[in-house]
Amino acid sequence: MLKVLKKKTNFYLIVLLIRILNQDKEEMLYSFIVSQNNNIPRIKLILERLSKKFGDKKRFLDIDFYSFPKSEIMAKYDIKSFTELGLGYRDTYIERLSKSIANGFEIEKLNVLDTERLKTELLKIYGVGPKVADCVLLFGFHRSNSFPVDTWIEKVYKENLNGKLTDRKKISQFLADKYGENAGYFQQYMFYYKRSLENGKK
């Protein structure tokens, strides 16, 4: 009994230590669109290229860096400018999103919607699918009842929870319903647990 209690206590301590950053909604939308079918090093490289080309140069502690670009700046450029950054098929998504925001689409105003309606609105954006929408909900709008499903979460669901569903949208809904308002925290715990475990085997 004490061992079980200790394990549960350690688990809840880990969950409490997880912090889901409440990051800029617009930046999160661009970032997760770039992340589609992409690996972390390449995502980082593309975002750095975007910032260097369209962002403002800053300096902090004698280190130069570039701020994430404003949509109004990116909207002035054509598709070729985005293609040159190695965005692949995502170039059209980023170009159209920047022009949409520059023409008056206000992401911040979506914050008044409940999570379900907010996700519906995000899915209307060209280039945004269920996983991107869930990620933006969780990290941009801080909706902790969202549960993004990627390769790692799908592995947890099938290998650790013995899940039988094969559609990621259904897996996401199942896990969101299962963990409720704390779903996003459980998602982060599961993601890092599985990723760390797999990487530790190599």
Side-chain angles (χ1 to χ4, degrees), residues 55-150:
D56 296 325
K57 189 174 183 179
K58 307 283 187 179
R59 191 169 182 80
F60 180 72
L61 296 178
D62 295 324
I63 298 174
D64 292 330
F65 67 97
Y66 293 85
S67 63
F68 195 85
K70 293 182 170 66
S71 294
E72 291 74 16
I73 300 299
M74 290 192 284
K76 296 176 182 178
Y77 293 82
D78 59 19
I79 188 68
K80 183 181 177 182
S81 300
F82 297 97
T83 304
E84 292 172 343
L85 299 177
L87 281 158
Y89 66 87
R90 308 164 198 82
D91 55 2
T92 308
Y93 301 161
I94 300 299
E95 187 220 12
R96 284 181 58 167
L97 177 59
S98 66
K99 286 178 169 54
S100 176
I101 294 174
N103 289 329
F105 172 58
E106 297 182 54
I107 297 173
E108 192 64 44
K109 286 190 174 181
L110 298 178
N111 203 33
V112 299
L113 303 175
D114 62 47
T115 302
E116 185 176 350
R117 289 175 59 206
L118 175 51
K119 184 173 181 177
T120 299
E121 290 303 309
L122 288 173
L123 288 170
K124 292 178 182 178
I125 298 171
Y126 184 64
V128 173
K131 182 199 166 187
V132 170
D134 284 329
C135 287
V136 174
L137 283 169
L138 182 59
F139 298 103
F141 288 88
H142 213 265
R143 301 302 175 89
S144 59
N145 56 341
S146 300
F147 205 108
V149 174
D150 63 357

